[in-house]
């Protein structure tokens, strides 16, 4: 369950909890691992869900840090906003790393708590985008709703 750190420049997501499958092929990201805001599903979900003023500040920072990549980054953010509205989650199908597919959804656990993100990722070779959207997305959204329900 990554969240955007408040004191790390705002260009990465920080894992504060992780669960792994027993599969031989799995992502081995540990607590404290950082993921890029611009290209990971969790970063995109955060950017799509954060308040517009905060998003603009993060966009300005990303544009300044990497002006050559900014047009592609901006396209990814706009796509994420559209995906969140249409599907309830944001994707990164090979955008962070070609061998990794993932989806993520915002997680709001209560007033005074930071915006968090719940994500699912796996190897692109065995988990195509269609599988994520058809099979994993409903489970991810249900899990987020259940978690949020415990904080209402």
């Amino acid at each position: 369950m990554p969240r955007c750190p408040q004191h790390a420049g705002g260009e990465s997501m920080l894992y504060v909890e992780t669960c792994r499958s027993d599969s031989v092929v799995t992502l081995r990201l540990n607590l404290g691992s950082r993921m890029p805001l611009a290209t990971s599903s969790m970063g995109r979900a955060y950017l799509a869900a954060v308040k517009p003023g905060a998003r603009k500040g993060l966009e300005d920072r990303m544009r300044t840090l990497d002006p050559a990549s900014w047009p592609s980054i901006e396209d990814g953010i706009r796509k994420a906003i559209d995906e969140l509205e249409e599907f309830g989650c944001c994707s990164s199908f090979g955008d962070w790393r070609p061998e990794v597919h993932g989806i993520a959804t915002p997680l709001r656990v209560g007033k005074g708590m930071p915006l968090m993100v719940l994500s699912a990722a796996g190897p692109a070779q065995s988990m195509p985008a269609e599988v994520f959207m058809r099979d994993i997305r409903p489970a991810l959204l249900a899990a987020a709703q259940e978690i949020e329900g415990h904080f209402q």
Side-chain angles (χ1 to χ4, degrees), residues 102-123:
I103 59 173
T105 191
L107 192 61
R108 293 176 176 87
V109 294
K111 239 181 180 163
M113 295 296 290
L115 174 64
M116 296 186 192
V117 174
L118 187 63
S119 67

Side-chain angles (χ1 to χ4, degrees), residues 25-69:
V25 179
T26 186
L27 291 174
R28 296 285 179 200
L29 296 170
N30 296 313
L31 299 182
S33 293
R34 293 186 181 275
M35 298 293 293
L37 267 179
T39 56
S40 68
S41 62
M42 60 198 71
R44 288 176 175 172
Y46 182 87
L47 288 166
V50 74
K51 292 180 181 176
R55 181 184 319 120
K56 182 178 180 338
L58 292 167
E59 288 174 338
D60 290 346
R61 180 153 174 83
M62 287 185 283
R63 182 184 308 108
T64 300
L65 290 172
D66 193 355
S69 297

